[in-house]
């Protein structure tokens, strides 16, 4: 899988999806993939961020992470998205990033990318399935190849058994309620495996 | 709410959704509603049922429950569905019951029924959201009024916080993993409340 | 229906959903409802808008329309959304507006609003169903009462028969390909009728 | 692509999805794939079929088509489904076929099959998107690789531009309202191309 180029594109306000993205990056690099970790541009005004200490802290701590650009899609063989649920669909920050890729899309530059996604929510059934399904709907418009975990490894059962992608419940204090690190790593390994096959001539 | 007619239509192979339906019936009757409890007709052949002792037991124990018919929809002001997830959508038994209501539908007899739904799955994220959303898609074809729990009561948080409808995780032995009785009762009370309003002239 | 307060909240880049919103407003006012017409705040930078003459023109022409605020939800008995499809889900502009209503949502101020939605796309099957379904998913989180057209009037068949909400195909030049004015008016009348009932004591 | 094994599994009551399946078969065989064409078992009672002359005619004319079995999934590298919309989700006949594959699923025998789907409806927006999306939800449970048309070929625009799969509107007399033959053939060619890559060692 040394030849797979993976862009991990996430949005995180208080760090959960950033952590999931980091786990994915670690595993992907261990597997020999070339990895870009990118954050979706924040849309919230500074004063809104300031009012939420956890958000402000994470916002400051991830200033060094590059913002996602069209080139991160163009360059990649595979895309892994990670973003929290906002009322059962992806947050506007990530949606905005997708929406402005009309140029790439119109020129067929999104076709055949291998795609997978992860998410989080405050309640076990608070959009952890719906958010991923909605994101894959958009990815079907892009002509991508969608690879979800299904039930391809026993590790998934311990992580809530989400066949659409790894997801985690986060409490009011931002603490993950399940240990999903291994599920994240299995998901990214699976994505790389399929992507690697699609690259072979 | 004495004037609301509620049909609870469920499918259950080993008893979970039957139990949820019973809780709903109990609460609805306490609230003064007129209630019909109906099961979707079984499609599986007898030999398949025989091979699964838990299924066979439940099948035998619910022989007295009437099968759902078109008249149960026609008669009702409100419909509450309950069925397990089968690969993220409703089981064929319940789908079959919906599919054969083309006659009612074509004559506008499904319009303005107040509808809500419940489900179960073997994994926390194994279709507990997707199954309900898919069922509501069908209900939009019927011109119904869709009333889900949202986050309208604190009891919902303890039951997994599924805004689309009460759902429960069931282990391999058929044991519910969360206590959802109060969530079921809240959901049916909410349905009756809205249905009651739509009936007032 | 004189007592129904309706907020029509739309996003439009080149005018289609604005036109649909205007038709809805006209019908609702004729029916005696109190109506607010509000646009979702634009997120695109000025230079992006400048590059697209049709977008620029519409942007300038609708400067007088008030931007939607939390109060427009708080005030309303019923909400009608209208926004184009962007890869099968709502545009980030509208999603952003929903996302920032966490305060209202957490205080139960979105509960029992009657909700319906409309959309548009460049292709007949380019998200005209998926976009609406995704929006209703969010509305289930809000604890709203969802009222879609279903097949409640013959006028819907001429407009493409979208049971989830009125939708229209728009060509490259921004011309609607079907006449959906009557379908829009039927949809809003239906929403007002149901909302009116929910208001009666 | 000589090495790809494709199972085309359809349900059809009056012939539309059978025709789409035949077009797919023709193209796949021309491309060198090994093809099985299979129908989902009918669930309707004979008397119901007898009452609808078009249904009865098609039922009789396709007696020679083999019914789909678990082996058709086990054997295949790629699966193409085709079935009409029934209230925005797949018909119970096809759902029943999926539901009874629990044994294959539990043993990981559905994993990494390349999957795509087609549909039809009586109205342009009468479930042509929703039905496909719902089917893909189930396929995510199976751990398959989902390949939809997206906008990968200009022929798709003439066929209604459904990025989720080819779909067609059928009038009351069973006549297709758009010419989707080329879109079907593009879709199957695309599926075979991706499947072929996943097979290379």
């Amino acid at each position: 899988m040394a030849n797979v180029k993976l862009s991990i594109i996430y949005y995180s306000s208080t760090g959960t999806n950033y952590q999931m993205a980091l786990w994915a990056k670690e595993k992907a690099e261990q597997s020999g993939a070339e990895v870009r970790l990118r954050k979706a541009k924040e849309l919230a005004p500074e004063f809104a961020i300031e009012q939420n200490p956890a958000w402000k802290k994470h916002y400051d701590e991830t200033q060094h992470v590059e913002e996602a650009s069209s080139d991160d899609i163009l360059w990649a063989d595979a895309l892994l998205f990670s973003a929290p649920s906002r009322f059962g669909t992806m947050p506007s920050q990530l949606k905005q990033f997708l929406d402005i890729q009309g140029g790439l899309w119109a020129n067929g530059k999104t076709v055949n990318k291998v795609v997978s996604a992860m998410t989080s929510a405050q309640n076990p059934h608070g959009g952890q399935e719906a958010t991923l399904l909605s994101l894959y709907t958009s990815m079907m418009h892009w002509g991508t190849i969608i690879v979800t975990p299904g039930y391809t490894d026993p590790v998934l059962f311990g992580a809530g058994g989400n066949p659409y992608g790894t997801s985690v419940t986060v409490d009011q204090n931002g603490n993950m309620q399940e240990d999903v690190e291994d599920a994240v790593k299995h998901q990214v390994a699976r994505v790389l495996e399929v992507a690697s096959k699609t690259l072979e001539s």
Side-chain angles (χ1 to χ4, degrees), chain A:
Chain A
M1 293 173 222
N3 58 341
V4 178
K5 293 174 185 159
L6 172 72
S7 283
I8 303 172
I9 297 172
Y10 77 97
Y11 172 75
S12 190
S13 55
T14 57
T16 302
N17 285 273
Y18 177 56
Q19 177 60 73
M20 292 167 81
L22 286 179
W23 284 328
K25 178 172 184 281
E26 181 191 338
K27 175 68 176 179
E29 287 176 342
Q30 282 171 359
S31 306
E34 205 176 330
V35 183
R36 289 186 183 179
L37 179 71
R38 299 287 187 266
K39 67 183 178 196
K41 185 183 166 68
E42 183 56 81
L43 292 176
E46 291 272 348
F47 75 84
I49 298 170
E50 302 277 353
Q51 290 173 345
N52 181 330
W55 192 357
K56 171 66 175 160
K57 182 166 183 288
H58 177 71
Y59 182 74
D60 289 344
E61 287 175 357
T62 52
Q63 283 304 310
H64 66 286
V65 180
E66 269 189 60
E67 285 181 356
S69 72
S70 294
D71 184 66
D72 298 317
I73 293 168
L74 198 58
W75 168 84
D77 303 312
L79 304 170
L80 179 63
F81 293 99
S82 196
S85 178
R86 292 283 184 268
F87 303 129
T89 64
M90 76 184 96
S92 54
Q93 289 89 344
L94 182 57
K95 189 68 208 316
Q96 163 86 332
F97 175 69
L98 298 184
D99 284 1
I100 63 179
Q101 307 309 327
L104 279 190
W105 169 80
N107 290 294
K109 300 302 188 187
T110 56
V111 170
N112 287 350
K113 310 285 180 185
V114 171
V115 170
S116 203
M118 311 189 291
T119 194
S120 66
Q122 288 181 348
N123 288 283
H125 311 304
Q128 297 192 32
E129 295 177 16
T131 303
L132 296 172
L133 290 170
S134 170
L135 197 150
Y136 292 130
T137 296
S138 289
M139 289 300 102
M140 292 181 196
H141 284 248
W142 282 20
T144 64
I145 295 168
I146 296 171
V147 176
T148 74
Y151 294 95
T152 50
D153 194 280
V155 76
L156 300 172
F157 295 103
N162 192 330
Y164 317 123
T166 310
S167 69
V168 69
T169 307
V170 181
D171 73 10
Q172 303 274 7
N173 300 317
N175 301 309
M176 297 195 202
Q177 299 302 294
E178 303 95 21
D179 182 356
V180 299
E181 180 176 345
D182 289 346
V184 168
K185 290 182 174 178
H186 169 70
Q187 184 171 354
V188 76
R190 173 163 166 71
V191 165
L192 293 175
E193 188 186 342
V194 174
S196 178
K197 286 184 180 173
T198 65
L199 295 179
E200 288 159 15
S201 58

